[in-house]
Amino acid sequence: MKLDRALTSYLKDLVKSGDLSASTIRTYRIALQSAVRFLDSQGVGDTEEITPRHLDAYETVSGSTAHGQNQRMRVLRKLLEFVRHRRGGKNNPFDGRKLPGYRSAPPLRHTRPSADLLKSIRGREPRDLRDRAMIAILLDLPPMSTGTLARLRNDDYEDGIVRVDGNLYTLKAPARRMVDRYIQARNDALDDDEPSHLFVSFSRRSYGARLSSAGVCRTIQERRSEIETSKSSKSSK
């Protein structure tokens, strides 16, 4: 079956089955479109033409981490299984192949805030909405460093899906709403002058510039200090 046709048929089947959420289906679509583009660059236009050699090549470029490789290879395998079982395809280059394993990287210091920290931020200023969005992402996704969060670009986020070092993650609905509200407030504050990176500074000195790794870490520390100060004030009364 032609790759484009296989992709369209598979996504339609996922929607029809109702087994997966719309966000998960979007994640599948993005991952499979990436796979189809890669295979097309290798001269492969049909699912019957895919060989283990193509999988070896795709595995090395499908994600910069083992997690990304595992995720995208797993989705591609599901597509080929669909073609075999539902459309009479015969080829399955995944036969006998183990998917790459992975371990979540340990969090760096100051990058794994608590849910209480998120709840403590109640302001409506762009800075407040930014901090809530950053913390929501850190809580929703696998542990990441402040540098990784600071490097996220505008096009790394779309419709609740975040691309981190080549890996695709779907945010839960509350986190997605926080990020969307922040982006709207940020664009309004910058007069719709869309910045290159997702998180920006709102300080006088670097207004609108990319928020640095140190800035992310400092922001979380300051928010933690605010909580401690609030607790101290209440206990002293």
Side-chain angles (χ1 to χ4, degrees):
M1 178 182 283
K2 295 296 183 181
L3 284 173
D4 289 340
R5 183 183 172 192
L7 174 58
T8 301
S9 297
Y10 180 52
L11 293 176
K12 285 183 178 179
D13 187 76
L14 290 180
V15 173
K16 184 178 180 180
S17 69
D19 293 333
L20 300 177
S21 68
S23 295
T24 301
I25 292 175
R26 279 198 301 271
T27 302
Y28 276 41
R29 173 177 54 79
I30 292 173
L32 288 172
Q33 285 175 337
S34 175
V36 169
R37 285 194 298 269
F38 172 81
L39 291 169
D40 182 67
S41 72
Q42 301 295 305
V44 177
D46 194 289
T47 56
E48 297 299 303
E49 299 172 355
I50 303 174
T51 68
R53 178 177 61 82
H54 294 125
L55 297 182
D56 290 339
Y58 181 59
E59 184 175 313
T60 62
V61 300
S62 63
S64 59
T65 67
H67 183 279
Q69 293 169 355
N70 180 285
Q71 183 186 43
R72 295 193 185 186
M73 294 293 283
R74 188 180 298 277
V75 174
L76 179 57
R77 184 176 68 177
K78 288 182 178 181
L79 170 65
L80 296 182
E81 289 174 347
F82 166 80
V83 172
R84 286 184 70 192
H85 299 305
R86 304 290 292 275
R87 293 295 184 267
K90 298 180 180 180
N91 180 41
N92 186 4
F94 278 97
D95 281 341
R97 185 188 188 92
K98 290 185 177 180
L99 295 180
Y102 67 90
R103 293 181 180 178
S104 297
L108 298 183
R109 191 180 182 189
H110 303 308
T111 62
R112 196 65 172 177
S114 66
D116 289 340
L117 185 60
L118 180 61
K119 294 177 182 177
S120 72
I121 305 174
R122 302 179 181 276
R124 296 180 179 272
E125 294 299 315
R127 177 181 180 272
D128 299 314
L129 298 177
R130 179 203 64 192
D131 295 353
R132 284 175 62 83
M134 288 196 305
I135 293 173
I137 287 178
L138 289 172
L139 289 172
D140 234 32
L141 302 188
M144 69 174 73
S145 69
T146 53
T148 299
L149 185 67
R151 286 194 300 272
L152 290 179
R153 303 181 66 84
N154 258 333
D155 56 9
D156 286 328
Y157 175 81
E158 181 182 2
D159 294 333
I161 297 175
V162 186
R163 181 173 60 243
V164 182
D165 293 334
N167 309 328
L168 297 176
Y169 301 96
T170 302
L171 293 176
K172 296 176 183 176
R176 176 181 177 178
R177 287 194 293 269
M178 291 178 198
V179 176
D180 289 343
R181 287 170 185 164
Y182 156 65
I183 291 176
Q184 181 62 56
R186 180 202 66 186
N187 292 346
D188 290 344
L190 300 179
D191 295 325
D192 290 324
D193 184 15
E194 191 172 277
S196 60
H197 287 77
L198 184 58
F199 294 110
V200 301
S201 171
F202 292 106
S203 66
R204 292 183 180 180
R205 173 182 261 180
S206 53
Y207 194 87
R210 177 178 75 91
L211 189 66
S212 66
S213 172
V216 174
C217 188
R218 184 169 56 251
T219 295
I220 295 175
Q221 289 176 316
E222 289 174 352
R223 292 295 186 179
R224 282 174 171 155
S225 296
E226 290 173 5
I227 291 180
E228 293 302 320
T229 300
S230 177
K231 288 181 178 179
S232 298
S233 299
K234 290 180 180 179
S235 61
S236 63
K237 291 181 180 180

